[in-house]
Amino acid sequence: MQRRAMLLGGATGLLGAGGYLYWQGRGTTAMETATDLLPFQPANAQEASGDLPEVVEMSKGNPDAAVTLIEYASFTCPHCRTFHENVYPQLEADYIEPGLINFIYREVYFDRYGLWAGMVARCGGPLRYFGIVDLIYANQSEWTQGAPAEVAENLRRIGRTAGFSNEELDACMTDAAMAEAMIATYEANTEVHAIPGTPAFVLNDELHGNMNYDDLRGLIDAELEAAG
């Protein structure tokens, strides 16, 4: 609950002004003020906790495939960016697009910026999600820089590049119920899979750490062969 409160701090009021609690690293809280951020008000949090919206599982490939690969990743993680730049394109070409596997992408929120990025990525629904994910990772070294208000505007800029209007982005980035639902989903997922870091992979229920494409391909091929 403490992590949830810290992640939610500032996550759903990126257009106002005030002070907020934030998640710094993985174990330190601090109080900060900013002229372009509004705190996540207790009234909003109480309202959001009543009836949370569904958080859609983002997947590609063949949902009926015998092999399922789940990736756990943070949008602020440099190793995740490296995976998506160097490994994921090969994985997509060889296994996802041909329908040999079911690929599921699950967001990890080590910090509030990762949560904000996830809110922008989900703004266009499942059909546009992975394209926006590509933009977020491709521009990671740029949008993560600066004060919180600057990071928020950087993410809005990515959203506009993806074709969203300012009004659409405002609605996505100030959706208190969705922010809380996303964190609750993340917490539930990590209860099932105790990931050691990101990126992490679950291949047919077996947890693996980060790896290069040759090693990942070997594991997938073994599962495909076992499945017949």
Side-chain angles (χ1 to χ4, degrees):
M1 292 302 295
Q2 183 183 24
R3 173 179 290 188
R4 182 182 299 188
M6 290 184 288
L7 284 170
L8 284 171
T12 59
L14 303 179
L15 306 177
Y20 55 93
L21 279 172
Y22 68 96
W23 175 245
Q24 183 179 52
R26 297 190 185 180
T28 305
T29 57
M31 179 63 76
E32 187 171 86
T33 60
T35 57
D36 295 321
L37 293 176
L38 184 70
F40 187 82
Q41 300 290 355
N44 291 340
Q46 183 177 2
E47 179 182 351
S49 298
D51 186 16
L52 298 182
E54 177 188 4
V55 177
V56 177
E57 184 96 286
M58 297 300 182
S59 64
K60 295 183 74 174
N62 179 7
D64 298 319
V67 175
T68 295
L69 177 67
I70 303 171
E71 179 191 359
Y72 283 93
S74 166
F75 288 122
T76 59
C77 163
H79 297 295
C80 300
R81 178 191 63 197
T82 298
F83 175 83
H84 274 265
E85 289 179 346
N86 300 329
V87 177
Y88 178 78
Q90 300 176 78
L91 176 70
E92 184 174 36
D94 293 344
Y95 297 99
I96 298 174
E97 291 298 335
L100 296 176
I101 68 171
N102 180 32
F103 175 78
I104 298 172
Y105 182 91
R106 290 182 177 172
E107 299 163 7
V108 173
Y109 310 125
F110 289 139
D111 49 62
R112 57 185 171 159
Y113 296 161
L115 175 64
W116 297 356
M119 294 170 78
V120 172
R122 291 175 174 274
C123 200
L127 291 178
R128 300 177 68 179
Y129 178 80
F130 284 99
I132 301 170
V133 166
D134 290 343
L135 287 173
I136 289 172
Y137 277 125
N139 294 279
Q140 185 191 82
S141 60
E142 289 80 30
W143 71 260
T144 52
Q145 302 303 309
E150 294 175 291
V151 172
E153 180 53 35
N154 292 341
L155 286 169
R156 287 166 59 86
R157 189 176 300 113
I158 289 175
R160 289 192 292 268
T161 299
F164 299 120
S165 67
N166 285 327
E167 291 74 18
E168 289 171 322
L169 289 166
D170 291 350
C172 292
M173 297 178 75
T174 59
D175 190 338
M178 179 54 71
E180 188 165 340
M182 288 165 64
I183 294 172
T185 299
Y186 154 60
E187 291 173 340
N189 285 336
T190 53
E191 285 292 322
V192 177
H193 300 123
I195 62 170
T198 55
F201 305 92
V202 179
L203 181 62
N204 279 3
D205 296 325
E206 185 173 347
L207 180 63
H208 301 273
N210 193 16
M211 68 188 81
N212 60 41
Y213 182 65
D214 287 340
D215 290 341
L216 180 58
R217 180 173 57 186
L219 292 173
I220 294 174
D221 286 344
E223 290 294 327
L224 289 171
E225 183 176 356

